[in-house]
Amino acid sequence: MYGPARRIDRPVKWTGDRTEAFLADAHGRDHVTRAELAVDDNNKIIGLRVHTIANLGAYLSTFSSSVPTYL
């Protein structure tokens, strides 16, 4: 079964509303992020560097925002 975009052969955009976000989202905390993107002559992404400082707050749980990490 194909998704709606393939069925109608057009892009489909979905935007959640504020109420839905309060009920379902794992809310973000105070993040300060600097990102750099490297592209080649054909605009193909060849590198990404991200530096994030994150305020995790006092109470952590398994259903809380995560901090992007690097491997």
Side-chain angles (χ1 to χ4, degrees), residues 37-52:
L37 185 67
V39 296
D40 65 12
D41 292 335
N42 295 319
N43 294 324
K44 180 179 175 184
I45 297 172
I46 58 173
L48 173 66
R49 181 184 342 204
V50 179
H51 178 79
T52 298

Side-chain angles (χ1 to χ4, degrees), residues 49-65:
R49 181 184 342 204
V50 179
H51 178 79
T52 298
I53 298 173
N55 180 359
L56 297 178
Y59 305 101
L60 295 177
S61 72
T62 56
F63 186 72
S64 65
S65 300

Side-chain angles (χ1 to χ4, degrees), residues 6-60:
R6 282 200 173 174
R7 276 188 239 145
I8 63 173
D9 196 30
R10 295 190 60 187
V12 175
K13 180 180 179 182
W14 174 82
T15 304
D17 63 19
R18 186 173 170 86
T19 303
E20 183 177 39
F22 275 120
L23 293 172
D25 290 355
H27 298 285
R29 294 187 168 98
D30 180 25
H31 286 200
V32 177
T33 302
R34 188 186 82 217
E36 299 172 75
L37 185 67
V39 296
D40 65 12
D41 292 335
N42 295 319
N43 294 324
K44 180 179 175 184
I45 297 172
I46 58 173
L48 173 66
R49 181 184 342 204
V50 179
H51 178 79
T52 298
I53 298 173
N55 180 359
L56 297 178
Y59 305 101
L60 295 177

